[in-house]
Amino acid sequence: MSESQSHDEKNHNGVPAPREDAGIIGVRKGMFGADNGGDTSGYGGLVRTVTLPGATFRPYGGWFDEVADELEGALEEQDLLPGNAIEKTVVDRGELTFHIAREHLVQVARTLRDDPALRFELCTGVSGVHFLGDKGRELHAVYHLRSLTHGRLIRLEVSVPDSDPHIPSLVEVYPTNDWHEREAYDFFGLVFDGHPALTRIMMPDDWQGFPQRKDYPLGGIAVEYKGAQIPAPDQRRSYS
Amino acid sequence: MSTPHATPRATTEGTVYTVTGGDWDEVVESAVKSDDERIIVNMGPQHPSTHGVLRLILEIDGETVTEARCGIGYLHTGIEKNLEFRNWTQGTTFVTRMDYLTPFFNEAAYCLGVEKLLGIEDQIPDRATVLRVLLMELNRISSHLVCIATGGMELGATTIMIYGFRDRELVLDLFELITGLRMNHAFIRPGGLAQDLPPGAIDQLREFVKTMRKNLPEYDKLATGNPIFKARMQDVGYLDLTGCMALGATGPILRSAGLPHDLRKTDPYCGYENYEFDVPTADTCDAYGRFLVRLEEMRQSLRIVEQCIDRLAPGPVMVADKKIAWPAQLALGPDGLGNSLDHIKKIMGTSMEALIHHFKLVTEGFRVPAGQTYTAVESPKGELGVHVVSDGGTRPYRVHFRDPSFTNLQAMAAMCEGGQVADVIVAVASIDPVMGGVDR
């Protein structure tokens, strides 16, 4: 109780709020990429968790609060509880990210586009990210929306599990996403429901698998250079 | 949807289906009705006027294009996937090869993203930023020259082609002087630049600006008022502002529809807010408008280049943080630009710590705190955005490029359908797609 009060006080003073709900996406072990006992330095025993920036609490600062207020207000007007649509808000490195529940994505995007106070007219496409360590939410679809009217840029992030990679298509709201969604489908296997023609765009039509998933190997062959064998890039030592 | 070909009929013994001849009747009927002139043509992927390996699938009725589709992916090289297996600095050598006509924009966008993730935007030396702007603006000129030159060639205006490549050669000579390479420079690195300007570069840059000021009006004389050129370009590849916004088209296509949207003005990076230049627009929404916009943008770029030259103050070109700055020193030897022998002598002979540091940075690289960022630059083709994700390691976790060519190419169908076959070539040329960027 006292903790939450102090949170509130901090918020009122305009001090950046603490982060909770840290997004752990993996655990790193060792340091030199050698896991076969060859490392005698002691660094092989290092264990660190990999954490993405977690949720931010108000105030977000700058125009971020204005956008968040407008969005929440507009969603409430449509009888949608903002808490149901916006799972998490993250402010990191001066960028605002709304994590959106997939079932409300189209409505949120339409609101962001049409509300005069928001007016994010331009979508710069969708980028897939595959977090193998983010259990139950492995596949992320990241949208960047630009408002030419207000000169703002925000990010929407939708995360779905590997086992059910369905996300509603935004093509009806932003027709520019047509090829971008095909690209994300091609590389990550994200299925955009409602897309007019969700086919592969870069890879051959009969390609098996989704190449930019993290469990899909890069491939390549070892190359001889000045008498030495240089292994393929994904076989080389990696530093964690 | 279609008429049922097995009509049900209720009888005392249940429903009976009478199977008829499928949709054969309709097929015959429509074949009789259809025009013999209607054919589907593959244009490309090995067609000289499709700017590389773009495949256009055109449904043609006589000389009219009724449907147009793009087939892309012939130049997909998996650059985004490859980046995940190299360290952050090595990334520049990959991204520079994407849109091979705008290497400095690819490098700058990527490096700005990495620097933002590192939180060192404020530590980038002024000289490095000014040189980045200088190189990008020179690159804008060379990219637009290729667009105008090849676009002219596809119309049969080979003089424009010769002029365009003549002037582009001047820019490439500067690139070669400054970076050692005509393309695929990997010159802009996270933290700054690979190298400072070589001696004599400023004089050559000034000379170039003077030459270009003399050469640019030649394009006006050749093309701008040329009735044949105008007849081929005007009202071709029409895409108005609504279409641009819906299809996400940016760059000269958007500006030819009258909206002066330029990230250098609306969302400045690299200190563009401190430079004086105009954002040219046209209100014709067609290929001719895009030509005029590109021509004017080259003049504006020359203005920026001049301001950069005046603004260059001596100083470092790499961030002071030795944990990020690439340790190798380059020097010009008898066989070209290579490792500095003095630097090698120092680290090999006098300082073990320097050698260890060098080795660690080159083999392992630096770590970038976990998070994601989106940075965008105004490339000659439009908004070039980079979504960089780090998991705190020495390699990018995911890098996605929103290449303007890729997005703008979607507008091809809207520009071409209903027009003439010959106008497809003009429309595609006015989009200025580079397949290296489209397919990555």
Side-chain angles (χ1 to χ4, degrees):
Chain A
M1 186 63 200
S2 62
E3 253 185 39
S4 69
Q5 270 176 348
S6 69
H7 276 186
D8 288 343
E9 273 171 28
K10 271 185 192 168
N11 286 349
H12 287 304
N13 295 337
V15 179
R19 288 215 175 103
E20 288 179 7
D21 176 33
I24 295 175
I25 52 159
V27 178
R28 241 181 247 292
K29 287 185 180 140
M31 191 144 188
F32 301 109
D35 46 8
N36 53 4
D39 176 19
T40 53
S41 67
Y43 284 111
L46 276 179
V47 178
R48 282 162 297 165
T49 50
V50 183
T51 319
L52 289 182
T56 313
F57 298 95
R58 284 175 183 267
Y60 305 135
W63 51 265
F64 294 169
D65 289 289
E66 205 182 315
V67 169
D69 287 341
E70 289 290 344
L71 178 60
E72 286 173 13
L75 290 180
E76 269 167 14
E77 276 173 28
Q78 302 170 41
D79 291 330
L80 177 62
L81 210 58
N84 290 349
I86 305 169
E87 294 171 337
K88 184 164 78 165
T89 309
V90 179
V91 177
D92 181 52
R93 293 174 169 92
E95 294 179 12
L96 177 65
T97 311
F98 293 116
H99 290 253
I100 306 291
R102 62 174 156 188
E103 57 270 27
H104 300 299
L105 175 65
V106 177
Q107 194 179 353
V108 170
R110 195 183 295 282
T111 309
L112 284 168
R113 185 193 69 177
D114 292 343
D115 192 299
L118 298 166
R119 206 62 101 202
F120 288 88
E121 311 98 331
L122 189 66
C123 180
T124 68
V126 52
S127 159
V129 190
H130 192 207
F131 288 110
L132 271 182
D134 194 2
K135 291 291 170 218
R137 289 180 172 277
E138 286 92 351
L139 285 166
H140 293 224
V142 185
Y143 304 82
H144 293 95
L145 306 182
R146 191 180 280 286
S147 166
L148 305 188
T149 310
H150 302 291
R152 293 165 175 169
L153 182 83
I154 59 166
R155 176 186 297 124
L156 302 185
E157 194 163 336
V158 181
S159 42
V160 293
D162 264 343
S163 52
D164 179 29
H166 287 267
I167 293 177
S169 167
L170 278 189
V171 173
E172 55 173 302
V173 184
Y174 295 109
T176 176
N177 270 21
D178 183 347
W179 282 16
H180 290 279
E181 287 182 2
R182 281 176 64 190
E183 189 187 350
Y185 162 72
D186 195 356
F187 289 144
F188 290 91
L190 280 164
V191 181
F192 293 92
D193 297 320
H195 188 283
L198 195 66
T199 51
R200 287 194 183 270
I201 188 165
M202 295 292 178
M203 307 302 286
D205 290 345
D206 55 354
W207 194 263
Q208 299 285 317
F210 301 107
Q212 287 200 5
R213 288 196 177 189
K214 284 288 175 183
D215 46 10
Y216 189 103
L218 179 67
I221 52 167
V223 177
E224 190 182 317
Y225 181 67
K226 292 190 175 176
Q229 283 283 324
I230 313 295
D234 61 351
Q235 302 300 316
R236 289 177 206 160
R237 167 177 293 182
S238 71
Y239 298 83
S240 49
Chain B
M1 202 172 75
S2 61
T3 50
H5 302 296
T7 37
R9 180 163 50 89
T11 64
T12 47
E13 284 150 73
T15 314
V16 168
Y17 293 91
T18 312
V19 181
T20 57
D23 54 357
W24 189 243
D25 295 340
E26 289 161 41
V27 172
V28 172
E29 205 174 308
S30 62
V32 169
K33 258 194 248 166
S34 79
D35 199 333
D36 285 332
E37 301 266 313
R38 179 182 161 278
I39 45 172
I40 292 173
V41 176
N42 263 311
M43 197 165 118
Q46 310 290 343
H47 193 280
S49 76
T50 57
H51 290 243
V53 283
L54 171 64
R55 175 179 169 220
L56 299 173
I57 305 145
L58 307 174
E59 190 186 293
I60 298 170
D61 188 0
E63 277 290 313
T64 310
V65 178
T66 51
E67 259 189 74
R69 294 287 178 272
C70 283
I72 62 169
Y74 293 93
L75 206 56
H76 177 58
T77 43
I79 285 176
E80 290 176 2
K81 177 91 174 170
N82 267 291
L83 287 176
E84 295 166 14
F85 293 87
R86 304 298 202 291
N87 68 35
W88 291 93
T89 308
Q90 285 173 313
T92 51
T93 53
F94 278 84
V95 301
T96 190
R97 284 161 168 77
M98 291 188 326
D99 184 342
Y100 41 81
L101 294 183
T102 62
F104 287 117
F105 291 92
N106 304 340
E107 295 170 22
Y110 170 77
C111 291
L112 288 174
V114 176
E115 285 157 9
K116 195 167 183 188
L117 278 178
L118 284 164
I120 58 164
E121 303 112 302
D122 302 335
Q123 301 169 34
I124 308 302
D126 277 347
R127 188 176 172 84
T129 305
V130 173
L131 279 175
R132 283 177 181 184
V133 172
L134 177 93
L135 289 167
M136 281 195 278
E137 292 309 321
L138 288 174
N139 203 171
R140 189 182 312 277
I141 295 173
S142 74
S143 171
H144 280 346
L145 282 172
V146 173
C147 174
I148 290 173
T150 55
M153 182 183 66
E154 287 153 13
L155 297 178
T158 43
T159 315
I160 298 179
M161 191 268 284
I162 298 289
Y163 277 29
F165 278 99
R166 174 199 67 188
D167 290 341
R168 173 176 180 253
E169 205 61 22
L170 301 175
V171 184
L172 294 192
D173 286 346
L174 286 175
F175 287 168
E176 189 175 356
L177 176 76
I178 294 170
T179 73
L181 296 163
R182 286 160 56 90
M183 62 193 298
N184 301 340
H185 313 279
F187 188 69
I188 300 177
R189 305 275 176 87
L193 301 174
Q195 185 84 340
D196 203 348
L197 283 184
I202 296 289
D203 295 338
Q204 297 239 18
L205 283 164
R206 286 195 196 281
E207 193 61 35
F208 165 78
V209 173
K210 220 195 276 175
T211 316
M212 276 309 281
R213 286 222 187 280
K214 189 166 67 64
N215 288 356
L216 276 181
E218 290 181 355
Y219 296 90
D220 280 328
K221 286 182 192 158
L222 252 178
T224 306
N226 185 330
I228 304 171
F229 188 76
K230 279 166 80 173
R232 287 299 309 274
M233 302 279 271
Q234 277 177 335
D235 298 326
V236 172
Y238 187 90
L239 190 70
D240 62 6
L241 186 56
T242 318
C244 285
M245 293 312 300
L247 293 169
T250 46
I253 302 177
L254 182 59
R255 289 193 282 275
S256 77
L259 187 71
H261 172 69
D262 188 318
L263 290 175
R264 293 177 293 174
K265 289 279 189 199
T266 58
D267 193 4
Y269 50 92
C270 287
Y272 265 111
E273 64 272 25
N274 304 322
Y275 293 89
E276 262 180 49
F277 64 100
D278 302 324
V279 178
T281 56
D283 53 5
T284 54
C285 311
D286 60 3
Y288 186 66
R290 282 162 217 148
F291 165 77
L292 293 182
V293 166
R294 291 198 173 99
L295 207 54
E296 185 53 33
E297 278 185 23
M298 290 199 280
R299 291 201 188 90
Q300 299 300 329
S301 290
L302 280 182
R303 280 178 70 188
I304 303 177
V305 168
E306 274 183 329
Q307 294 172 48
C308 288
I309 299 173
D310 295 339
R311 207 166 284 193
L312 269 181
V317 293
M318 195 38 129
V319 68
D321 187 347
K322 289 290 183 199
K323 292 288 177 196
I324 293 168
W326 191 249
Q329 303 290 316
L330 298 177
L332 197 62
D335 55 347
L337 200 65
N339 278 322
S340 156
L341 294 177
D342 285 338
H343 177 67
I344 291 178
K345 196 193 271 175
K346 181 179 160 238
I347 61 172
M348 295 294 281
T350 64
S351 170
M352 191 192 213
E353 288 75 17
L355 179 64
I356 294 172
H357 180 76
H358 183 115
F359 179 76
K360 287 292 283 177
L361 258 185
V362 172
T363 58
E364 181 176 340
F366 51 82
R367 285 181 171 72
V368 173
Q372 60 181 333
T373 179
Y374 178 86
T375 46
V377 301
E378 184 74 26
S379 112
K381 278 112 187 165
E383 175 170 348
L384 173 68
V386 193
H387 178 224
V388 191
V389 185
S390 171
D391 68 341
T394 57
R395 296 168 164 186
Y397 190 77
R398 161 89 170 127
V399 183
H400 173 70
F401 275 81
R402 185 259 189 209
D403 195 276
S405 295
F406 177 80
T407 317
N408 293 352
L409 199 52
Q410 290 187 96
M412 192 278 298
M415 287 183 187
C416 295
E417 286 180 3
Q420 303 271 292
V421 182
D423 291 344
V424 171
I425 292 158
V426 179
V428 170
S430 78
I431 296 175
D432 191 19
V434 173
M435 299 315 286
V438 174
D439 293 344
R440 283 154 286 139

